[in-house]
Amino acid sequence: MTSAADRSDRPTRRSPRDRRPRGYSAAALVRQGLRRTPAWEPAWREHELRGSYDVVVVGGGIHGLATAYYLATRHGIRDVAVLERSYIGGGGSGRNTAIVRSNYLTPEGVAFYDRSLDLYRALSAELDFNIMFSRRGHLTLAHSDASLRTMRWRAEVNKVQGVDSEVIGPADVARLAPAVDVSDHPRFPVLGALYHPPGGIIRHDAVVWGYARAADLAGAHVHQRTEVTGIDVDRGRVTGVRTNRGTIATRQVVNCTAGWASLVNDMVGVRTPVVTAPLQAAVTEPVKPFLSPVLVSGTLHVYVSQTPRGELVFGASVDPFAQYSMRGSLEFIEGLATHVLELMPGLSKMRVLRQWAGLCDMTPDYSPIMGPTDVEGFCVDIGWGTYGFKAGPVSGEQMARCVAEGRPPALIAPFGLERFAAGHLVGEKGAASVGH
Ligand code: PYC
């Protein structure tokens, strides 16, 4: 039986305003090629900043854009502004390593991330924008008996919830990823792995652009280069948002920022247990496809996947200090190279093209903070640590519902801010990709 709550996650009927002016198709490509002016029309529009909006979303990454999209398409709330101080996707959404999976450790985490994977699978069709979902299988390597035990635990929790995960041995790891050294020579030999076939990678920029375009078509305004400088609160309730482009009257703000989440919360006096640290990543030159699954080794602090273009994308643990720098360091790339070669010695000749960093808002239990706060009209969708990208669609869907219905839906209720005072943590450290 479908509950009223479930029905609210389905698209509402489109109004004439939603109709896609120009879809992407083979015919559109041919038409475009025959035009005198070959420039494509912008995928989303620029708007004047209005003096008021029903809902103001702070943060133009995947979470903020998805929230605006689902508000408009699932709940008919179209008078929405997404404020991004830089360019959309310029923060964590464009800096992550684009891995998706739902093999978490807690029942709450598994249900939540699995819904995201479901939404991601259907997203290209829903947004009419190819997000390049590539199902690869996801291998979390175990190099010790202790981590094998955690893998078995995760596999059992996953199976109970219908998520495909199992523990496999070194021979199966070698079959799935022949480049990995599964001999007993390495410092940390591979003893087995948690294998999660539905895991994979997605083109992260495409997700940003797809949601921005679809949110715009549905009536939301996406404002880039629009920095929030203050949030007005009167008698415990949000009344407006101040920006570098003027003031907006509103009764509903959703903080969907990463890296700056606690600074935005400070504007209304909401305190959250978040520590911000950089996470570094790197990409190599492209080579012929040789690595199909996503590989993770917590012991070696490394994860790696090969993009459809052939580059290897690497990430590591968060840097062991709190700061806001987004510059890569030599120390990181040296450590990464050492660890990667322990795992796949055959890569010694590969050249790194680029390295970068993003900011991670770490919470004590490695789970996000989502839902209303003590300030009426101020909701948070923050604390995304190293797992924000994979949760983008479900977070948007559920935060939109939280705003529309005025209370957190069941799927995100466990992630409320009050859990820290109540001591009901959702401990996901054992399922974080790498040690922190
Ligand atoms: O949790 O899968 C993960 C992840 C990948 C990169 C950073 N975190």
Side-chain angles (χ1 to χ4, degrees):
M1 211 161 85
T2 317
S3 69
D6 293 333
R7 281 196 296 273
S8 73
D9 286 334
R10 294 189 186 153
T12 52
R13 278 176 74 103
R14 289 182 179 284
S15 79
R17 220 172 135 205
D18 296 336
R19 246 176 241 135
R20 297 171 197 285
R22 209 174 290 253
Y24 294 133
S25 66
L29 192 61
V30 172
R31 265 199 313 273
Q32 189 67 24
L34 295 175
R35 283 174 150 201
R36 283 224 189 98
T37 47
W40 286 86
E41 65 190 23
W44 57 88
R45 292 161 290 183
E46 302 249 333
H47 298 274
E48 289 298 313
L49 191 73
R50 284 200 202 128
S52 79
Y53 285 96
D54 288 346
V55 181
V56 171
V57 177
V58 186
I62 293 170
H63 286 242
L65 294 164
T67 300
Y69 169 75
Y70 291 112
L71 276 168
T73 58
R74 301 302 197 264
H75 305 281
I77 301 175
R78 297 159 201 280
D79 190 26
V80 179
V82 179
L83 308 184
E84 167 54 50
R85 73 174 192 164
S86 170
Y87 57 94
I88 58 167
S93 296
R95 293 165 186 273
N96 65 81
T97 44
I99 296 170
V100 291
R101 63 185 175 95
S102 61
N103 57 354
Y104 279 76
L105 181 59
T106 66
E108 298 88 342
V110 174
F112 176 75
Y113 291 98
D114 206 43
R115 172 69 184 156
S116 212
L117 212 43
D118 276 348
L119 289 168
Y120 261 136
R121 281 190 202 102
L123 204 58
S124 291
E126 165 143 13
L127 301 182
D128 184 25
F129 205 97
N130 187 0
I131 63 162
M132 299 171 74
F133 188 129
S134 181
R135 180 181 154 134
R136 298 293 186 84
H138 184 282
L139 285 173
T140 313
L141 302 176
H143 303 267
S144 68
D145 289 339
S147 47
L148 260 184
R149 212 167 27 245
T150 310
M151 305 300 168
R152 288 202 187 97
W153 177 3
R154 277 169 71 181
E156 291 313 308
V157 174
N158 289 184
K159 282 182 207 162
V160 166
Q161 293 191 234
V163 168
D164 191 1
S165 285
E166 59 174 325
V167 174
I168 59 173
D172 285 324
V173 172
R175 186 176 51 76
L176 291 163
V180 174
D181 183 356
V182 295
S183 73
D184 55 6
H185 300 150
R187 190 164 53 124
F188 301 110
V190 173
L191 302 184
L194 180 66
Y195 178 43
H196 175 50
I201 51 174
I202 294 179
R203 178 73 202 277
H204 50 7
D205 294 325
V207 181
V208 172
W209 299 332
Y211 270 127
R213 173 173 174 269
D216 174 73
L217 282 173
H221 285 185
V222 178
H223 295 291
Q224 306 187 84
R225 297 173 299 284
T226 306
E227 180 168 1
V228 173
T229 54
I231 299 175
D232 296 323
V233 175
D234 185 25
R235 278 165 284 180
R237 140 159 281 307
V238 165
T239 56
V241 173
R242 277 172 274 139
T243 80
N244 60 336
R245 291 173 60 199
T247 298
I248 301 166
T250 187
R251 291 170 71 77
Q252 181 66 60
V253 171
V254 189
N255 179 3
C256 290
T257 59
W260 288 267
S262 35
L263 303 184
V264 175
N265 289 345
D266 279 351
M267 293 177 183
V268 294
V270 165
R271 294 193 58 207
T272 41
V274 163
V275 175
T276 302
L279 174 58
Q280 300 196 45
V283 65
T284 66
E285 61 188 344
V287 293
K288 277 190 186 163
F290 72 93
L291 180 65
S292 178
V294 178
L295 285 182
V296 177
S297 166
T299 304
L300 293 171
H301 303 282
V302 66
Y303 37 89
V304 52
S305 67
Q306 188 169 24
T307 71
R309 283 191 305 232
E311 305 123 328
L312 292 184
V313 177
F314 298 108
S317 304
V318 292
D319 286 345
F321 34 77
Q323 68 160 344
Y324 285 83
S325 162
M326 284 195 275
R327 297 186 64 125
S329 69
L330 182 60
E331 192 187 15
F332 158 77
I333 206 73
E334 281 179 347
L336 181 82
T338 310
H339 292 147
V340 168
L341 293 180
E342 286 187 78
L343 205 55
M344 294 187 281
L347 300 192
S348 61
K349 296 277 187 295
M350 279 197 82
R351 284 177 292 217
V352 171
L353 281 190
R354 210 166 53 246
Q355 67 181 104
W356 66 93
L359 295 179
C360 298
D361 289 334
M362 307 304 297
T363 62
D365 59 358
Y366 291 71
S367 283
I369 308 175
M370 304 180 77
T373 65
D374 285 344
V375 175
E376 219 181 316
F378 185 78
C379 290
V380 289
D381 170 29
I382 64 153
W384 282 107
T386 62
Y387 16 89
F389 172 71
K390 54 186 73 41
V394 68
S395 302
E397 178 194 64
Q398 298 296 310
M399 287 309 296
R401 193 156 146 188
C402 184
V403 167
E405 295 175 359
R407 59 177 187 282
L411 204 56
I412 61 167
F415 303 120
L417 176 56
E418 64 289 347
R419 76 178 185 275
F420 297 104
H424 296 148
L425 303 192
V426 189
E428 284 291 0
K429 184 164 185 179
S433 251
V434 279
H436 294 283

